[in-house]
Amino acid sequence: MPAEDKLFTIRSAHDIDFPAVIDVLRTANMHYIPSPEMPELDLYCCCVAEVKSRIVGMSGYKILSAREAKTTLMAVLPEFRGWGIGLALQEWRMNELCRHGIQSLITNADRPETIAWYKRHFGYREIGSLPKEHEFGHPEISRWTTLQVDLTQWKEKNE
Ligand SMILES: CC(C)(COP(=O)(O)OP(=O)(O)OC[C@H]1O[C@@H](n2cnc3c(N)ncnc32)[C@H](O)[C@@H]1OP(=O)(O)O)[C@@H](O)C(=O)NCCC(=O)NCCS
């Protein structure tokens, strides 16, 4: 596919995006909202990726305290993976959190390739694991691997 056909944009999400965001999350089995794993999703702490005005990816975060936050959800439609959209969605939320003065970011992930990707690109390290409360994400993986990244260090490296 020519590079110009792989153009995407990232923007803040709005309430009206909810159905399209759920459609993206469904492809990653992460659409159970509300549920014990994801009681709610604040779209004002989310962004979406668009290709020709179609929502093809999303990511979000939740601020826990003055210095700490966690990521909520992130997914890209399977046919658009590998274009760099995930990198841009993750950078968007890390930059948003830096702007809010957040220093420590926690992410729970299940797929080994995604865990390796977080470590490789963003400097995350494993700090633990916890059982899933119900099926969410990869249906054959029953635990979340908890990852943490120091946003101050990440920002310094990327300036
Ligand atoms: C994790 C996820 C959001 C990444 O999105 P993405 O748009 O594919 O991300 P990128 O294109 O920036 O990077 C994907 C990586 O996989 C590689 N890749 C190449 N082709 C790919 C394809 N067809 N599908 C998936 N990954 C591919 C890329 O090369 C890249 O690795 P690299 O950056 O080290 O070279 C996406 O795979 C996804 O939705 N996964 C399922 C849900 C999930 O695990 N979400 C995270 C919850 S914590």
Side-chain angles (χ1 to χ4, degrees), residues 89-99 105 122 124 149-151 154-155:
L89 291 168
Q90 175 68 12
E91 283 173 6
W92 179 89
R93 63 186 176 184
M94 291 174 89
N95 279 317
E96 282 291 298
L97 291 167
C98 287
R99 240 174 17 88
L105 178 61
F122 305 103
Y124 276 95
V149 60
D150 183 320
L151 287 179
W154 174 78
K155 193 74 188 167

Side-chain angles (χ1 to χ4, degrees), residues 24 27-28 30 58 71-89 93 107-111 113-114 117-118 120-121 144:
V24 170
T27 66
M30 293 180 164
M58 67 77 64
T71 58
T72 50
L73 296 169
M74 176 163 69
V76 172
L77 291 177
E79 61 268 41
F80 294 92
R81 289 183 194 164
W83 290 22
I85 294 175
L87 275 182
L89 291 168
R93 63 186 176 184
T107 293
N108 285 314
D110 57 1
R111 294 162 195 259
E113 67 274 19
T114 309
W117 179 82
Y118 276 121
R120 189 163 67 244
H121 285 285
W144 296 112

Side-chain angles (χ1 to χ4, degrees), residues 41-97:
L41 182 64
D42 180 1
L43 278 179
Y44 287 88
C45 294
C46 290
C47 69
V48 292
E50 288 183 316
V51 173
K52 295 178 184 159
S53 301
R54 176 183 177 196
I55 291 178
V56 302
M58 67 77 64
S59 75
Y61 63 83
K62 181 171 185 175
I63 292 178
L64 301 175
S65 70
R67 285 161 189 248
E68 287 183 311
K70 65 174 188 175
T71 58
T72 50
L73 296 169
M74 176 163 69
V76 172
L77 291 177
E79 61 268 41
F80 294 92
R81 289 183 194 164
W83 290 22
I85 294 175
L87 275 182
L89 291 168
Q90 175 68 12
E91 283 173 6
W92 179 89
R93 63 186 176 184
M94 291 174 89
N95 279 317
E96 282 291 298
L97 291 167

